[in-house]
Amino acid sequence: MTQGDFNLDNEWKYLIYRLGGELYGSPLLSIKEVIKVSRIKPVPYTVPHYRGIISLRGNIIGVVDLRIKFGLNPQENKYGGNVLIVENEDMMIGALVDDVDSVMALNRDDVDLSPAIETKIDTKFFIGIAKVNDSLINLIDIAGTLSNEDLRMISRNRGVL
Amino acid sequence: MSSVSYKMKLIIINFLFAVISVYFLLDGAINTNYGQPFWIGGIALGFLSLIFYIVGLRPIDSCCDSYFDNILGTLERISKNFLKLTKNGKEYLSNNSKEQELLLEQDSVLAELNFSIEKTLKNADESLSYMNKSKNMSEEGKRVLDGLKEAMDGIKGAASALEEIISVIGDINQKTKIINEIVFETKLLSFNASIEAARAGQYGKGFAVVAQEIGNLALMSGKASLGISSLLENSTNQVKELGIFIQEKIKDGERSADECKRVFIEISDGLPSTLSSLDTVFGLMRKQQIEMEKIVGNITRLDQMIKRDGHSTKEMDLAVNELTKDAKQLNENVVIMNEFFSLGSGFDEYEGDYNTENENHKLKNNEIIDKFSINLENENENENENENENENENENVIGLGKMQEEIDGIEDQLNVEKKVANYSGDSSPIVRAHDIAELYNKSLKKGSAETTDTPSSKDPRFKEDES
């Protein structure tokens, strides 16, 4: 993991995390916190990618399993996985990932924004692709991965407690 | 009897001579013409008859009886002694053969004894070797057991050490887990710190650096923790191997114990064969004792037989001595008889020859008798030598045979003399006397081979009668 230049703008810092063996990245500013998941309380009659709710310093946060969301094998992480706390329009969302790898400051040259890729859903979550050490990293916006229904559900569940 | 009739005949002859002389004297006295020759004749005859009486009849009268009695007595004694001799000789021979049988038996008994002794010694040696084997085996067993004990002790030590190691590894594992957790949390902390630093904006840049360093530290800790984990894994494997090793050693110990058991069982099995060997040894020794007793019995019997042999030979010796004396005496008597009956006529002429012939005859007989007595003396000396006895016996038998021949010759001579004495012909006394003399001379010829001339033909006395 390359250490980014100190003088670079914070906007170009990305948090790199693993998901199903592959590296993904998200903008560091979008992520409020990273916590180790202890216990996710499941909620019945919810979609599979909605794992449940957790309590963080008194706040109730719904957790979405990005593995299931992306259609990957849902495998149990040894250490229980990490949850990225993402802030989205006054609403906190938790995203379950396998492992947080590092924080990278990427150069403008390394990032290839809006490539020509077709996906099932809206491409607004897909930011771009970064080239680091002969490997590619998908840069995605976590909030963009969730559909409106998911957002509604999460906001509704926030009020349960 | 014959001597009596012989004597009677001589008396008759003498009486006739006297009668004839008287007749001639009377005739001479009556016939004065031719009287002188008859006178002379009568006187001569008278003198002759007197001389005959003095020289011939009287000695015969006095000593003929005694001579014949002597000779007969001697013959009887000789025959008795001879019978005794032969009987003793036979007894001796039979005893000798019995002795030889006993000796042979003894030889076989001794051979058996030797064999059994050898067997005994062999068995004793075998017993000793068995005992030594047992001793060695038991010592081996001891050594094996000692080795086993050492192995067991080693195993115990290893087992205790193993337990310690396992507990230590467990502790380390636990600590490592804690460290891993810390590392993880530190990482998260660094990320959160970076996020906050980013939110802080330009004021958070210093803090971003701090966050980064924290992340680095977390990484380093993670690596160390990984190393520790790998080491722990190695240790665990080693402990497992050690456990297996110990198990194997325990199995070896068990095998050694079984071997030891087997060795001791072998030892205990070997002892009964030792005892049976000793039993055979004792049995053989008892047999030997019996054989020894047999030998002793045989020796005593042999001793008795030898004593009897001595007695027999002594008797034989006595008999032979007497026989010798008698034979010599008989020889002398015969010679004297020869001399006596060849008196007067031709005595002067053949004196030398007759004497030498008779002397030769006497000497020959004496030689044979001496040889025989010498042989018997030798026999007495060699009584204890079993080997010579048979030879001497054979010689003695031969000597006895020769003696018997001589005695037969003498007997024949005497028989002839008896015939002469019992001679009862019908012819005149003179013819009778002539015949008697012839017979006697024939007997002499028979007795001595050297005599070739018949004295009767050269006898001047009978020549005178014939004329």
Side-chain angles (χ1 to χ4, degrees):
Chain A
M1 40 221 101
T2 57
Q3 195 165 340
D5 201 355
F6 298 138
N7 296 324
L8 278 177
D9 206 352
N10 286 337
E11 284 183 10
W12 293 103
K13 285 201 181 154
Y14 288 84
L15 182 70
I16 312 300
Y17 50 89
R18 284 181 202 280
L19 202 64
E22 294 292 330
L23 285 169
Y24 294 90
S26 292
L28 192 62
L29 288 168
S30 64
I31 297 167
K32 191 171 192 293
E33 211 174 323
V34 174
I35 59 162
K36 189 183 98 151
V37 62
S38 55
R39 195 104 171 128
I40 299 170
K41 190 99 172 106
V43 179
Y45 294 112
T46 53
V47 287
H49 57 263
Y50 189 81
R51 282 298 275 257
I53 47 171
I54 54 168
S55 168
L56 181 67
R57 292 188 290 274
N59 297 328
I60 305 298
I61 301 164
V63 176
V64 174
D65 194 344
L66 284 178
R67 280 204 299 271
I68 297 163
K69 191 80 180 145
F70 289 170
L72 302 165
N73 292 333
Q75 59 183 24
E76 285 296 320
N77 200 332
K78 266 192 292 185
Y79 296 104
N82 298 332
V83 174
L84 309 173
I85 310 296
V86 173
E87 202 169 354
N88 180 32
E89 299 169 2
D90 265 349
M91 192 169 64
M92 300 256 215
I93 302 164
L96 182 65
V97 298
D98 288 344
D99 198 15
V100 172
D101 195 55
S102 57
V103 171
M104 274 191 204
L106 297 169
N107 293 328
R108 223 177 283 223
D109 304 330
D110 295 333
V111 180
D112 188 9
L113 292 164
S114 57
I117 298 172
E118 280 190 27
T119 55
K120 265 198 271 194
I121 56 172
D122 236 349
T123 56
K124 68 176 175 180
F125 77 94
F126 198 76
I127 299 166
I129 294 175
K131 288 176 289 202
V132 176
N133 293 338
D134 293 334
S135 61
L136 299 170
I137 299 170
N138 292 325
L139 301 170
I140 54 171
D141 180 32
I142 291 170
T145 63
L146 300 166
S147 63
N148 293 331
E149 284 180 23
D150 294 330
L151 287 166
R152 259 196 302 243
M153 188 176 62
I154 288 163
S155 65
R156 245 187 279 133
N157 283 339
R158 196 158 60 93
V160 167
L161 196 76
Chain B
M1 296 282 209
S2 59
S3 62
V4 172
S5 60
Y6 194 60
K7 197 168 92 179
M8 282 303 295
K9 281 182 201 162
L10 287 176
I11 290 166
I12 290 162
I13 290 164
N14 205 17
F15 185 67
L16 282 170
F17 272 138
V19 163
I20 289 163
S21 72
V22 166
Y23 176 71
F24 279 150
L25 280 168
L26 284 172
D27 217 8
I30 293 166
N31 284 336
T32 49
N33 290 341
Y34 320 102
Q36 254 182 331
F38 280 113
W39 271 101
I40 297 161
I43 292 159
L45 273 173
F47 269 119
L48 264 173
S49 72
L50 198 70
I51 289 162
F52 193 67
Y53 177 71
I54 292 164
V55 176
L57 203 58
R58 265 183 71 187
I60 285 172
D61 194 26
S62 63
C63 13
C64 209
D65 275 340
S66 69
Y67 268 122
F68 278 116
D69 285 338
N70 235 355
I71 286 165
L72 278 172
T74 315
L75 271 175
E76 272 176 66
R77 272 205 300 280
I78 284 169
S79 60
K80 257 195 230 167
N81 282 328
F82 187 71
L83 280 169
K84 236 204 262 182
L85 200 69
T86 47
K87 193 176 94 179
N88 277 325
K90 278 186 201 160
E91 226 183 272
Y92 192 75
L93 280 170
S94 73
N95 279 344
N96 206 12
S97 66
K98 273 190 206 161
E99 277 171 49
Q100 287 203 330
E101 271 180 49
L102 273 174
L103 280 170
L104 281 170
E105 208 187 298
Q106 259 187 66
D107 276 339
S108 72
V109 163
L110 276 169
E112 259 195 65
L113 196 69
N114 274 335
F115 183 65
S116 67
I117 285 167
E118 272 180 45
K119 260 175 117 177
T120 309
L121 284 170
K122 235 197 258 179
N123 270 326
D125 281 337
E126 262 186 65
S127 309
L128 273 172
S129 76
Y130 276 134
M131 290 290 199
N132 281 333
K133 254 194 194 176
S134 303
K135 212 179 166 186
N136 289 342
M137 275 185 182
S138 66
E139 276 175 38
E140 213 186 301
K142 254 196 211 174
R143 265 184 271 132
V144 167
L145 273 172
D146 285 339
L148 189 70
K149 220 180 167 185
E150 277 180 47
M152 291 293 198
D153 287 338
I155 286 164
K156 273 187 206 165
S160 64
L162 203 66
E163 277 180 40
E164 277 181 46
I165 287 165
I166 287 165
S167 71
V168 161
I169 285 170
D171 288 342
I172 291 167
N173 240 355
Q174 266 191 313
K175 306 291 178 201
T176 313
K177 270 188 196 155
I178 293 165
I179 287 165
N180 275 340
E181 283 237 8
I182 291 165
V183 159
F184 188 64
E185 297 228 358
T186 313
K187 212 161 92 174
L188 283 175
L189 191 67
S190 82
F191 289 142
N192 287 326
S194 302
I195 291 161
E196 291 304 322
R199 287 193 191 281
Q202 59 177 351
Y203 303 109
K205 283 189 186 160
F207 193 61
V209 170
V210 169
Q212 197 77 24
E213 289 303 315
I214 290 166
N216 289 341
L217 280 169
L219 272 167
M220 274 161 61
S221 297
K223 278 182 196 166
S225 177
L226 274 170
I228 287 165
S229 292
S230 72
L231 282 168
L232 281 175
E233 229 179 288
N234 282 346
S235 295
T236 314
N237 289 340
Q238 275 182 4
V239 164
K240 279 184 191 163
E241 276 176 27
L242 197 65
I244 290 161
F245 179 70
I246 283 166
Q247 291 271 11
E248 275 180 24
K249 284 295 155 189
I250 287 167
K251 274 185 195 159
D252 282 346
E254 278 175 11
R255 258 185 271 134
S256 290
D258 287 338
E259 223 185 286
C260 179
K261 247 200 225 175
R262 185 177 53 77
V263 164
F264 278 123
I265 286 163
E266 260 189 69
I267 288 166
S268 61
D269 282 345
L271 284 172
S273 62
T274 311
L275 286 169
S276 73
S277 278
L278 284 170
D279 278 337
T280 46
V281 165
F282 284 131
L284 284 170
M285 281 185 171
R286 266 180 251 129
K287 267 193 197 170
Q288 282 172 23
Q289 273 185 355
I290 290 162
E291 296 293 318
M292 283 290 207
E293 279 171 36
K294 267 195 208 170
I295 285 170
V296 167
N298 279 343
I299 285 166
T300 46
R301 261 186 284 166
L302 201 67
D303 192 35
Q304 284 173 13
M305 279 187 175
I306 285 164
K307 278 187 190 159
R308 262 186 280 157
D309 280 349
H311 181 66
S312 293
T313 45
K314 273 188 200 158
E315 289 222 2
M316 270 164 69
D317 193 29
L318 283 168
V320 161
N321 282 339
E322 274 192 49
L323 202 64
T324 315
K325 274 191 242 162
D326 288 337
K328 279 189 185 168
Q329 197 169 15
L330 193 68
N331 192 29
E332 283 178 23
N333 287 339
V334 164
V335 166
I336 289 166
M337 291 283 289
N338 279 338
E339 285 178 25
F340 178 68
F341 281 111
S342 59
L343 249 184
S345 52
F347 190 72
D348 296 323
E349 267 188 61
Y350 306 103
E351 184 177 356
D353 288 349
Y354 266 130
N355 269 345
T356 49
E357 278 169 10
N358 285 335
E359 281 295 321
N360 290 340
H361 197 61
K362 193 171 155 183
L363 280 169
K364 199 175 115 190
N365 283 346
N366 279 341
E367 268 177 39
I368 290 162
I369 290 159
D370 284 335
K371 205 161 78 170
F372 183 64
S373 63
I374 284 164
N375 281 341
L376 276 177
E377 275 170 24
N378 286 343
E379 193 186 85
N380 278 335
E381 279 170 17
N382 297 337
E383 192 181 7
N384 294 326
E385 291 178 21
N386 294 333
E387 288 156 9
N388 292 335
E389 275 179 358
N390 275 339
E391 290 173 24
N392 286 342
E393 287 240 338
N394 287 335
E395 276 184 36
N396 292 338
V397 166
I398 290 163
L400 276 170
K402 273 194 199 161
M403 188 64 194
Q404 185 150 26
E405 278 174 36
E406 292 297 319
I407 289 166
D408 283 333
I410 294 164
E411 272 193 5
D412 287 356
Q413 246 179 317
L414 290 170
N415 283 336
V416 166
E417 285 169 15
K418 281 187 215 167
K419 269 194 217 165
V420 166
N422 289 333
Y423 184 74
S424 55
D426 282 333
S427 41
S428 65
I430 295 159
V431 173
R432 241 183 287 157
H434 170 72
D435 287 341
I436 287 164
E438 244 189 284
L439 278 168
Y440 197 72
N441 286 331
K442 271 192 204 158
S443 81
L444 274 177
K445 205 161 70 170
K446 213 165 114 185
S448 59
E450 290 93 23
T451 316
T452 51
D453 300 328
T454 48
S456 64
S457 55
K458 297 192 179 144
D459 198 358
R461 185 162 52 159
F462 294 111
K463 266 186 191 158
E464 215 179 280
D465 282 338
E466 274 180 324
S467 69

